[in-house]
Structure formats: structure tokens, C-alpha cells
Amino acid sequence: MRKTTYLTIDDGPTENTIRHVNYLKSRSIPAIMFFLGSSIERQREAAIYAVKHGIIVGNHSYSHPKFSEISFDEATLEIRRPEELIDQVYRDAGCKRMYKLFRFPYGDKGGANKGKLQEFLRSEGFMKIDPAGITHPAYYESQLDKDWDVYWTFDYAEYAIPEGVGTPGQAGILNYTNAMNLWTGGSPLDQSSAEIILLHDHSTTEMRFPGYFSELLDYTIAMGAEFKMPGFVRSSLQA
Ligand SMILES: [Zn+2]
């Protein structure tokens, strides 16, 4: 059996996003892209292109702050501003927006404000990936399944790969990224669990490792992953 993998891509849109969307389409890989509001303002056409081509666009804040270092009011603005931009992108693409998803920058859930922010996300109608489709134990041990933001079980962390390690797609790169993720134990090469994996749309990585995006995903597929679209659930207590 092939390993179930849900692909999420953070920090777009960029000048490379349209190319990434074309690659994903060519390999029939479903994906969720978490966009920054400030980047949607600069790359509107790329955002519309992604929606038109079946990408689910989620909210990754307006300006990528550390939520534990901003006030609750600032945090709600950081979440609400991109919502308006994403709604407009869906309207311009002529597509109905079915899913309202949020991912905290750096996975920083807001420190002292964490509880209030989770309540905010829930009452605003944000959805989560159906935990029934995720089998990685660390996801439950960390109680990530309880929250109303979208976390991950494996981060390629390819932006942190030092130059000279090799080109993406080689086992050395994946071993390097795996070693960086021991805190979850997640791995796209581990056949035993369904995962939410995280790749980034970074211009700096594209400059350092041209083609990294498709090479890492090609390699992950070659190693047995099957990319699927997860199910989503909404709070029944939604205000
Ligand atoms: Zn980010």
C-alpha cells in the first residue's frame, strides 16, 4: 500500500507559484497553499491562478509575525485581513470557496493567547484537517488534532538546507530534512503513517537549489508516497 500524504505549501504566492501549480497539476498532486495576505497583494494573478487550477488556498496571516509576540487584537487583524483578500481571490477566479483554513507562521500558536486564539478560529468558522485521516502518533501526543489551525507532522525544512549538501531529490537531502524533524518523528519515507507534510514556496530556496520543489516531490513519490486531499471538519459549536 502506498503511504497517504497530504501536501501543504507555505509562504506563497511568489513569482514561482504558477510554475509550482503547473507541476502539481502535471503530477495530479492535490495541495493546500497557505498564502500570506501581504504576498497576495503583490502576486494577485498567481493567487487567482492557483485557485483556478484546483489548489485550496489557506490563510497564513497577513505579515508572518510570531503570534506569541503580538497582542490578541493584532493577532485577530493578522487573521482577518488575509481572509478578505482570499475571498476576493476566489471571487476573481470564479470559484466557490469551500474551506476556511489557517496556519500559524512558525507553528507559533500564540503563547499566552493560545486558548483565546483557538476560540477565535473556531467561532470564525475555520476548519481543520479531519484527524481521522492522520495516523502519525505525535500528532495526537501533542494534541494537535484538537486545534482549529492546520499543523503538520513533517516539515521538509528545505529552506534551512546548507548549500553544498547536494541537489534536492537526492537521498542526502531527505535524510538531512528528516534529521531536522526528530521532534515529531515524521517522515515522508515512513510507510506506516498518514502525514501532513510541509514544503515552502521560497524564492531564496529556488535561487539556491533551482527546481527543488518538483525534485523533492518527485523523490517523495518515487519512495512510495501517494498525495491525497484530506477531509475537513468544522466545529459543530460554531457561533
Ligand atoms: Zn510561514
Side-chain angles (χ1 to χ4, degrees):
M1 203 174 93
R2 293 179 74 82
K3 176 191 172 64
T4 297
T5 309
Y6 309 122
L7 178 62
T8 63
I9 299 153
D10 284 8
D11 300 338
T14 70
E15 65 276 15
N16 298 311
T17 300
I18 289 176
R19 199 155 41 83
H20 294 334
V21 170
N22 288 340
Y23 162 79
L24 294 170
K25 266 194 75 75
S26 75
R27 297 226 55 175
S28 301
I29 300 174
I32 304 167
M33 289 186 169
F34 286 96
F35 284 165
L36 294 166
S38 54
S39 300
I40 291 174
E41 287 173 342
R42 286 195 299 271
Q43 298 281 349
R44 280 188 47 76
E45 290 310 314
I48 293 167
Y49 189 90
V51 167
K52 273 187 176 163
H53 291 83
I55 301 293
I56 294 178
V57 168
N59 178 344
H60 193 39
S61 82
Y62 182 77
S63 65
H64 211 270
K66 290 198 166 96
F67 273 64
S68 59
E69 295 175 3
I70 60 177
S71 71
F72 177 72
D73 287 346
E74 286 169 320
T76 59
L77 272 179
E78 280 282 346
I79 297 169
R80 280 194 168 131
R81 236 174 127 183
E83 278 305 295
E84 291 170 19
L85 292 161
I86 293 168
D87 282 343
Q88 188 60 49
V89 162
Y90 270 83
R91 279 194 293 273
D92 291 348
C95 299
K96 183 171 160 49
R97 189 177 176 200
M98 306 281 286
Y99 309 104
K100 201 168 157 173
L101 304 168
F102 182 75
R103 171 169 279 158
F104 286 103
Y106 313 101
D108 175 344
K109 292 177 184 248
N113 287 327
K114 185 195 169 199
K116 275 169 80 178
L117 283 168
Q118 286 298 326
E119 178 52 30
F120 175 78
L121 290 169
R122 187 190 65 73
S123 65
E124 292 281 305
F126 281 90
M127 303 163 86
K128 66 173 91 179
I129 289 183
D130 187 351
I134 303 162
T135 58
H136 197 283
Y139 197 72
Y140 296 90
E141 286 155 16
S142 309
Q143 303 217 324
L144 295 167
D145 56 311
K146 302 272 191 287
D147 290 344
W148 292 98
D149 57 286
V150 178
Y151 213 79
W152 59 87
T153 61
F154 174 80
D155 179 356
Y156 283 99
E158 77 288 350
Y159 54 83
I161 298 170
E163 261 170 292
V165 168
T167 57
Q170 296 173 346
I173 289 283
L174 276 172
N175 288 338
Y176 184 86
T177 61
N178 289 346
M180 290 188 62
N181 287 277
L182 290 176
W183 70 273
T184 63
S187 164
L189 307 186
D190 170 2
Q191 294 294 315
S192 63
S193 61
E195 309 251 358
I196 304 172
I197 66 171
L198 166 56
L199 187 59
H200 303 79
D201 181 352
H202 284 185
S203 304
T204 44
T205 308
E206 183 60 30
M207 281 187 282
R208 295 167 70 215
F209 300 109
Y212 79 94
F213 187 93
S214 54
E215 285 188 42
L216 274 178
L217 293 176
D218 281 346
Y219 185 76
T220 306
I221 293 168
M223 295 303 287
E226 180 175 7
F227 289 101
K228 292 183 183 168
M229 188 51 74
F232 299 97
V233 289
R234 186 196 303 270
S235 170
S236 57
L237 300 171
Q238 193 193 331

